[in-house]
Amino acid sequence: MSTDKKIYQPNPTFAKDAVIPSMDDYWKLQNRAIEDYEGFWQAFADEKIDWLSAYNKVLDESEAPFYKWFTEGRLNVSNQCIDRHLADKAHKTAILFEGDRGEVEYISYAQLSLHVNKMANLLRHEFNVTKGDRVVLYMPMIPEAAYAMLACARIGAIHSIVFGGFSAEALKDRIEDAEAKIVITADGAYRKGKPYMLKQVVDDALDQGGDSIEAVLVVKRNNEPTKWVEGRDHNYNELIVSQHAECPFEAMESEDPLFLLYTSGSTGKPKGVQHSTAGYILWAQMTMEWVFDVRDDDIFWCTADIGWITGHTYIIYGPLAAGTTTVMFEGVPTYPDAGRAWKMVQDHKITQFYTAPTAIRVLHKMGEHEPKKYDLSSLKVLGTVGEPIDPPAWEWYYETVGNSHCAIVDTWWQTETGGHMISPLPGATPIKPACATFALPGIIAEIIDPDGTPKEVGETGLLCITKPWPAMIRNIWGDPERYVKAYFGDAVKDGKPVYFSGDGAVLDEDGYITITGRVDDVINVSGHRMGTAEIEAAVKRDDTVAEVAVVGRPHDIKGESIFIYIVLKEGHINLDIKNHINELLATEIGNIAKADHIIEVPGLPKTRSGKIMRRILRSVAKHEEITQDISTLEDPSIVEQIITKAREA
Ligand code: WT7
């Protein structure tokens, strides 16, 4: 495996001052964790967190896999991200906002503090939001989204951000599952120079259900007209003016939930991943310092949307906890042209740039030479996340964007892990392209069989995290049984259930970890995670559909695209099945769930016991030759018919 791969050594000038400046230093840290796991975490918790009162235990495993960290300690995340920086960073820019149309706003830590305190008072006093209440955010990428997150953290409310690309139906489901009290939204925002609407989706969601909602708080961003429900809808811009500038923060317990974030799994409806207060913020800050190596005058830009975990941890919580300047961008990196992102790097002297392989492939394809037109010399670290990156995209990123002197950190992690887990360290790790390299210090990642047997070099196995870590998921909101089954039901080590990520991975002879992708029924479209079961359930809501199977198909830009096989009920014909089903998916889930291919087939390949042979469907979608034994199928002739249909598609 991969001996032929070129190795890229860290830039020595950069490494000299790096937080972790060599592999020796990496191993020192990792060995310390292996020898004294709790002592390792205790040292960092004491150094990094501004505790309001001390914790009594580092790790409580008595109710495993419901692990508890830093029990009975008290802290507040908005203090960790704002107040404690005010002594020496009050005038430093906390959030550098650039709008879609190019306007720039510098929000200092002092200003951020004022906005967050006022919003916290608004929630607390006008809407009676108290500790433990759930607040749904359906927001564009504007500073008010950050204020809302931090205001929730300040008063101990649990935010649940729903990505703005989800439909009214999906929003309603998430509101109902969390039994949220209030929705914070905006009239809309700007994208590609034009206003778009969000509030309308909230109106539709609440027409369909979401009865727990008492109020909708609307930020005016584009001032487009929206429906207004008297008594329910409230204008943020008007109400915020009279709020008091100081709002004392709640002393939260380490294990109090900080937020919920819904994500797809291989079965059933989306899961409300529940994160903790202390463990989460500790790791958000530590990984910011280790993986991005942020220094005092750095300008950090993560291009994610706050609706995803990457936006939570690396636009808001990690950068602000570390006292960094974080860039928040409302628009898209290809508008007005494929040089927008590079112009922003030049204009703001961005030092770390963090994005998804899909975005890199789009920027490469649309403007291979665009980066050369701009001065990108401020860049030091480039990051990728969300899906495996392919070597050509990696090389373009390294050579053309990074001018062959930036480290590329290919960070593997998940909504459930809270922060980075496996990643190069920019000043230490000799990098192999498109390889996540090593587990970060304190993270014990193993590639094993379900019974815990380690895989040999070159053999793909289950990527498991065999020791609990502070930022790990704590529960699935309202469904502890599903939490245990979904994450601790597939692998054991020394007789104890261990966390299985759902990904496969492989080790090479140098101990480098390469992620091979999901081994469960989850697909990854443009870095967005989707459960095939969830898409199938949505398609089945159509009256004419008898059976459906969804698989992923490799895609040049998106990584994977959605491919759907449909069997219609007897006597039904549907001439425009693709548009029809895609409209349904847009309504039920959102535009991100639209399929590239939808084909009608006479039947699905099933075993005699009725199990759908998805491997065959995946091969057909890829136009691969079928090598599997199909003689055990109920009706082997179906395969030929499906292949013919797929060729026509
Ligand atoms: C899944 C998690 C973590 C934030 C973005 C996605 C895939 C993530 C990598 C990477 C290969 C990756 C995995 C993982 N993934 N990072 N560097 N290389 N695959 O979060 O929606 O929770 O998805 O994304 O399959 O399980 P998510």
Side-chain angles (χ1 to χ4, degrees), residues 263-264 308-311 354 357 384-389 409-417 419-420 422 434-436 501-504 515-518 522 524 527-530:
T263 191
S264 297
W308 308 112
I309 191 70
T310 311
Y354 189 35
T384 77
V385 60
E387 11 154 9
I389 183 165
V409 291
D410 179 351
T411 60
W412 176 86
W413 60 296
Q414 311 180 290
T415 303
E416 293 85 347
T417 70
H420 302 146
I422 303 176
C435 174
S501 62
D503 280 301
I515 312 298
T516 56
R518 302 290 305 197
V522 166
N524 191 329
H528 300 153
R529 176 167 156 188
M530 264 169 298

Side-chain angles (χ1 to χ4, degrees), residues 52-53 73-76 131 154 248-253 256:
L52 306 172
S53 61
R74 286 187 182 265
L75 72 161
N76 184 284
K131 188 176 160 176
R154 197 163 187 90
F249 52 75
E250 284 280 342
M252 302 301 289
E253 279 205 25
D256 282 334

Side-chain angles (χ1 to χ4, degrees), residues 440-457:
L440 294 175
I443 301 302
I444 313 299
E446 295 186 69
I447 301 169
I448 56 178
D449 275 332
D451 67 0
T453 316
K455 283 293 193 187
E456 304 279 336
V457 166

Side-chain angles (χ1 to χ4, degrees), residues 260-296:
L260 309 179
L261 184 56
Y262 284 80
T263 191
S264 297
S266 54
T267 56
K269 54 177 188 149
K271 314 175 267 199
V273 171
Q274 180 184 322
H275 276 290
S276 73
T277 297
Y280 171 82
I281 199 67
L282 173 64
W283 192 231
Q285 185 179 330
M286 285 171 68
T287 50
M288 216 32 228
E289 295 171 355
W290 283 350
V291 176
F292 296 121
D293 207 290
V294 281
R295 321 263 168 102
D296 237 4

Side-chain angles (χ1 to χ4, degrees), residues 322-463:
T324 310
T325 297
T326 183
V327 175
M328 200 171 178
F329 177 44
E330 181 189 35
V332 295
T334 49
Y335 178 84
D337 57 50
R340 176 67 178 272
W342 316 129
K343 182 172 186 311
M344 282 179 66
V345 169
Q346 169 180 284
D347 289 353
H348 305 308
K349 300 196 167 45
I350 284 160
T351 42
Q352 290 90 350
F353 178 72
Y354 189 35
T355 197
T358 296
I360 297 167
R361 290 190 290 260
V362 168
L363 291 168
H364 181 191
K365 196 171 170 194
M366 288 182 64
E368 186 173 355
H369 306 294
E370 280 299 312
K372 294 278 176 235
K373 298 185 192 159
Y374 299 91
D375 175 6
L376 306 184
S377 59
S378 56
L379 288 172
K380 298 186 291 190
V381 180
L382 301 172
T384 77
V385 60
E387 11 154 9
I389 183 165
D390 43 298
W394 193 97
E395 270 146 32
W396 179 75
Y397 201 31
Y398 183 80
E399 284 160 16
T400 308
V401 179
N403 200 13
S404 303
H405 74 253
C406 296
I408 296 194
V409 291
D410 179 351
T411 60
W412 176 86
W413 60 296
Q414 311 180 290
T415 303
E416 293 85 347
T417 70
H420 302 146
M421 299 295 277
I422 303 176
S423 172
L425 295 165
T429 316
I431 291 173
K432 301 185 184 186
C435 174
T437 72
F438 298 98
L440 294 175
I443 301 302
I444 313 299
E446 295 186 69
I447 301 169
I448 56 178
D449 275 332
D451 67 0
T453 316
K455 283 293 193 187
E456 304 279 336
V457 166
E459 274 181 14
T460 302
L462 308 181
L463 176 58

